[in-house]
């Protein structure tokens, strides 16, 4: 299959165009920012923490860790004037009293490090040297900002989340720290790293929502060994379905055109591994594209799936 979207669109998506330094505006609740959270594992970056309306130290909340934090709350502060609007979606669902209340920890991406931060590292190790060269060449053709050789750094990114950021959140906010109340969510490459997080740290994360999961790793299906490597990895590393929840979805327009057939293979594996409607959900959205507007429209589905009381 030929490249499905232009280099300009790829560049605009994979690169973090600098958002405004002011806090994003939210419809409900409030946001506090940790500026340039220091890490010994990855480049420093902002972390935006959203607390729902009426947040109180007298009660405890679940925690949703989300990637691409620049794109979560306020379309006016994002590069493409789109956002997930997670504060609005969550607040409306809380009113039904059917969901556990949670805070959102929005982790900004690292701009030029985004692809290497979010690219699952262990599946990449399954590739032969020639296959790694193929991935390197495909990414370079798509103008992904990499050095001479592409080297995923997602193990370090997850160490940052689990060993540095989570302890800070657990200490600073009135939250539950157990896996039953700790969830991770993202889209595209953020969907990949969410999948990877629950597989690598099944004792930390009780659920993952992976929207428009970027199963290709690069931007083409032609001569691409990554989907097979991801499925091989999942076959070995999917967490126990008895105490984990996983959500997948995709559309079929723009970049999402790459995903449906691979997602079907993943779904077959989920069944094989003992997942059912109680702990796994895959949704397909014909006509939907690869954008925050699309994810925002269906955000209530994974939120209900993960946080339903």
């Amino acid at each position: 299959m030929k490249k499905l979207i232009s280099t300009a669109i790829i560049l605009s998506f994979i690169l973090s165009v600098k958002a405004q330094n002011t806090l994003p505006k939210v419809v409900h609740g409030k946001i506090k920012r940790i500026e340039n959270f220091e890490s010994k594992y990855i480049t420093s970056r902002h972390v935006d923490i959203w607390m729902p309306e009426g947040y109180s130290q007298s009660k405890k909340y679940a925690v949703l860790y989300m990637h691409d934090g620049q794109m979560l709350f306020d379309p006016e502060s994002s590069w493409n004037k789109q956002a997930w609007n997670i504060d609005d979606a969550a607040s409306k669902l809380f009113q039904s009293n059917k969901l556990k209340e949670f805070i959102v920890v929005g982790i900004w991406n690292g701009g030029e490090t985004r692809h290497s931060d979010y690219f699952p590292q262990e599946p990449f190790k399954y590739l032969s040297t020639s296959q790694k060269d193929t991935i390197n060449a495909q990414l370079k053709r798509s103008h992904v900002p990499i050095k001479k050789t592409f080297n995923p750094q997602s193990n370090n990114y997850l160490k940052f989340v689990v060993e540095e950021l989570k302890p800070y959140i657990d200490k600073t906010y009135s939250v539950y720290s157990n896996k039953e109340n700790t969830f991770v969510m993202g889209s595209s490459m953020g969907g990949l790293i969410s999948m990877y997080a629950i597989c690598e740290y099944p004792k930390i994360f009780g659920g993952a929502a992976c929207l428009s999961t970027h199963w290709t790793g690069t931007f083409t299906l032609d001569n691409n060994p990554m989907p097979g490597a991801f499925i091989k990895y999942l076959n070995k590393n999917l967490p126990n379905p008895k105490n984990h929840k996983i959500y997948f979805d995709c559309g079929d327009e723009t970049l999402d055109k790459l995903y449906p057939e691979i997602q079907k293979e993943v779904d077959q594996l989920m069944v094989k591994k003992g997942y059912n409607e109680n702990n796994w959900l895959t949704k397909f959205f014909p006509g939907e594209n690869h954008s925050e507007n699309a994810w925002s429209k269906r955000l209530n589905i994974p939120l209900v799936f993960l946080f339903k009381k």
Side-chain angles (χ1 to χ4, degrees), residues 5 24 30 40 52 57-58 71 101 106 123 131 138 141-142 145 162 173 183-184 203 215 222 227 240 246:
I5 57 177
K30 59 183 178 181
K40 64 182 178 182
Q57 291 288 337
S58 65
M71 311 301 294
E101 283 195 290
Q131 288 175 323
Q138 290 178 358
R141 282 198 297 272
S142 298
V162 170
Y173 294 89
F183 302 89
V184 60
K203 294 181 179 179
W215 293 117
D222 294 340
N240 191 335
I246 302 181

Side-chain angles (χ1 to χ4, degrees), residues 19-241:
Q20 298 172 4
N21 288 326
T22 55
L23 285 177
K25 295 178 181 178
V26 290
V27 178
H28 302 283
K30 59 183 178 181
I31 283 186
K32 184 175 181 180
R33 172 168 295 166
I34 308 168
E35 294 194 358
N36 296 312
F37 194 108
E38 291 289 338
S39 170
K40 64 182 178 182
Y41 296 115
I42 60 171
T43 56
S44 63
R45 61 201 61 199
H46 294 342
V47 178
D48 289 341
I49 298 102
W50 175 79
M51 292 154 280
E53 205 78 42
Y55 172 85
S56 170
Q57 291 288 337
S58 65
K59 61 183 288 188
K60 287 199 171 185
Y61 299 79
V63 184
L64 177 60
Y65 289 89
M66 295 186 71
H67 314 289
D68 292 314
Q70 298 97 314
M71 311 301 294
L72 301 180
F73 304 105
D74 181 6
E76 291 305 311
S77 67
S78 71
W79 67 268
N80 63 357
K81 303 304 179 186
Q82 297 183 33
W84 288 65
N85 300 310
I86 178 67
D87 57 302
D88 196 20
S91 297
K92 288 176 180 176
L93 289 169
F94 292 159
Q95 292 174 9
S96 70
N97 203 33
K98 294 180 180 179
L99 264 63
K100 295 187 287 188
E101 283 195 290
F102 57 86
I103 70 169
V104 175
V105 180
I107 309 164
W108 282 41
N109 67 55
E112 290 193 354
T113 69
R114 180 178 184 269
H115 214 79
S116 59
D117 283 346
Y118 291 176
F119 198 111
Q121 202 161 331
E122 296 306 313
F124 189 72
K125 293 179 181 178
Y126 292 168
L127 304 186
S128 66
T129 299
S130 63
Q131 288 175 323
K132 289 178 181 177
D133 290 342
T134 296
I135 295 301
N136 199 62
Q138 290 178 358
L139 291 175
K140 283 187 173 181
R141 282 198 297 272
S142 298
H143 299 281
V144 173
I146 58 177
K147 296 180 180 179
K148 185 176 180 180
T149 304
F150 177 66
N151 290 303
Q153 298 297 316
S154 52
N155 287 354
N156 277 340
Y157 176 76
L158 291 183
K159 284 181 181 178
F160 155 68
V161 175
V162 170
E163 297 180 16
E164 297 176 329
L165 181 58
K166 185 179 186 296
Y168 174 87
I169 296 297
D170 291 347
K171 180 181 177 181
T172 308
Y173 294 89
S174 184
V175 297
Y176 295 105
S177 60
N178 59 352
K179 82 172 189 304
E180 289 77 16
N181 288 283
T182 305
F183 302 89
V184 60
M185 178 184 287
S187 61
S188 194
M189 290 297 295
L192 270 186
I193 193 63
S194 298
M195 172 275 291
Y196 192 49
I198 199 171
C199 290
E200 290 293 297
Y201 291 94
K203 294 181 179 179
I204 299 294
F205 300 105
C210 315
L211 287 70
S212 296
T213 313
H214 193 57
W215 293 117
T216 53
T218 70
F219 298 89
T220 180
L221 286 171
D222 294 340
N223 190 31
N224 187 342
M226 278 320 307
F230 288 139
I231 290 171
K232 180 180 177 182
Y233 170 81
L234 287 172
N235 188 45
K236 293 181 178 181
N237 295 281
L238 274 169
N240 191 335

Side-chain angles (χ1 to χ4, degrees), residues 280-292:
W280 158 58
L281 180 63
T282 291
K283 298 286 285 184
F284 178 54
F285 297 94
E288 291 294 341
N289 63 18
H290 196 87
S291 68
E292 284 75 22

